[in-house]
Amino acid sequence: MSFARTALLMAAMTALFLFFGLMLGGEAGMLIALVIAAGLNFMAYWRADKIVLSMHGAREVTKRDAPELVSIVERLSRRAGLPMPKVYIVDDAQPNAFATGRNPEHAAVAATTGLLRILSHDEVEGVMAHELAHVKNRDTLIMTITATIAGAISMLANFALFFGGSRNNPLGIIGTILMMILAPLAAMLVQMAISRTREFAADREGAQICGQPLALAGALAKLHQGARATVSERAEQNPATAHMFIVNPLNGRSFDSLFSTHPRMEDRIFRLETMAEQGGFTRPARGRSAGSSVPETDTSPKGRGPWG
């Protein structure tokens, strides 16, 4: 099912890319777009995760560099029945996180320094569980492919400025104007469709993995406020990756941020609070084997991250 969904997405994104190539340069433009799309699909499958990590300046860490964070991911991965992903930290004051990778065996999770600074231990667990849920549900490949091709579609709008006057353009100046408006809009709509449906599922699965729906809800509230108050320069420069983050990293400086790539935060928090009211959750015990668990508790200091 996951393979079919991914193949369908790649076909749809490729068709969209070809359409805008046709709009830009006629049949010749469509052929060029076909070649570029084939290369992008190949790259998106094998290398897009590394490209996304590089875009955001992520650095891989081990237990020696970030023992608390790596231990959390290790413990939750065992609880979720997943291979241990690579762990990255992004030097960014905006609190946020994302996951990437073509499958669970080649996955990576990343958290910003801003996130580690403001969240409690339990809230970090909730966020990492959410990202591991994306890995478990195999959303990461779809989201990474979408980011790669959506970015390429948006680039076509810039090409329209230089090649829009070509005689191969079937609609002339009208086609150029349409390209400049519709290309980035189409890319954003695809991002919205992918992210909005998957975030709710990852919230639910993440709450089950960590056993603490309220910890994840509290983390989302803090991250939402923090992302609105703090500009992420890398995110603003790479808006095509916005849907990959746990909360929208765009805070209004970009045209893309007019269209939210995420569900309403109030709805996400409400669903998690409803899950907590229904009960029946257990959390992984710290420092114990993956199979052990204790009733949900919250013993971490309030309002202070585990890294000081």
Side-chain angles (χ1 to χ4, degrees):
M1 184 67 177
S2 177
F3 175 80
R5 185 176 59 182
T6 302
L8 181 62
L9 171 68
M10 294 179 74
M13 295 292 285
T14 299
L16 192 59
F17 197 74
L18 295 180
F19 171 74
F20 285 117
L22 176 66
M23 290 285 292
L24 181 60
E27 292 183 1
M30 185 173 65
L31 289 175
I32 294 173
L34 177 62
V35 174
I36 295 174
L40 283 173
N41 284 330
F42 180 84
M43 180 186 67
Y45 184 83
W46 293 105
R47 301 286 300 176
D49 56 336
K50 295 178 177 61
I51 293 173
V52 170
L53 289 166
S54 177
M55 280 181 179
H56 293 277
R59 57 183 174 87
E60 186 176 358
V61 294
T62 64
K63 279 191 176 180
R64 177 180 299 180
D65 308 308
E68 193 87 22
L69 177 62
V70 175
S71 294
I72 285 174
V73 176
E74 186 176 55
R75 183 167 58 252
L76 293 174
S77 296
R78 289 197 301 265
R79 184 175 172 91
L82 292 169
M84 176 65 182
K86 294 182 178 179
V87 181
Y88 289 79
I89 289 180
V90 178
D91 187 14
D92 193 329
Q94 183 186 93
N96 226 319
F98 66 90
T100 186
R102 64 180 182 271
N103 55 41
E105 291 72 29
H106 299 86
V109 293
T112 67
T113 51
L115 178 148
L116 301 178
R117 186 166 53 249
I118 71 170
L119 297 189
S120 70
H121 187 287
D122 290 346
E123 289 167 343
V124 173
E125 282 190 344
V127 170
M128 290 297 102
H130 171 100
E131 298 306 331
L132 289 173
H134 278 308
V135 174
K136 186 174 182 178
N137 295 335
R138 296 180 179 266
D139 298 331
T140 50
L141 174 60
I142 293 176
M143 295 167 73
T144 304
I145 288 175
T146 302
T148 302
I149 303 182
I153 291 175
S154 295
M155 286 174 58
L156 288 178
N158 295 326
F159 292 159
L161 292 173
F162 299 98
F163 302 106
S166 169
R167 60 185 178 183
N168 293 324
N169 187 327
L171 297 180
I173 188 64
I174 296 177
T176 300
I177 296 174
L178 287 175
M179 275 288 302
M180 295 174 63
I181 297 173
L182 296 180
L185 179 60
M188 285 185 288
L189 291 176
V190 172
Q191 289 173 277
M192 290 165 59
I194 294 296
S195 180
R196 290 190 175 192
T197 58
R198 301 317 303 161
E199 290 304 318
F200 283 132
D203 285 343
R204 181 177 62 254
E205 183 78 24
Q208 293 170 345
I209 292 172
C210 71
Q212 301 185 91
L214 292 181
L216 177 54
L220 289 176
K222 288 183 180 180
L223 296 181
H224 180 61
Q225 292 298 322
R228 293 178 62 185
T230 309
V231 174
S232 173
E233 294 293 345
R234 290 183 183 273
E236 298 291 342
Q237 293 167 7
N238 301 286
T241 64
H243 64 286
M244 299 181 65
F245 287 81
I246 187 170
V247 299
N248 189 356
L250 305 176
N251 69 355
R253 292 181 53 184
S254 163
F255 173 77
D256 303 74
S257 62
L258 293 175
F259 298 87
S260 177
T261 56
H262 293 65
R264 279 176 18 107
M265 187 56 66
E266 292 84 355
D267 295 337
R268 295 174 68 182
I269 292 174
F270 174 77
R271 293 190 183 199
L272 288 167
E273 290 175 342
T274 301
M275 288 181 67
E277 290 175 0
Q278 294 172 349
F281 290 93
T282 58
R283 54 167 298 167
R286 299 174 192 171
R288 297 187 182 182
S289 63
S292 64
S293 61
V294 296
E296 179 184 347
T297 58
D298 187 355
T299 58
S300 60
K302 301 296 182 182
R304 179 171 59 87
W307 293 268

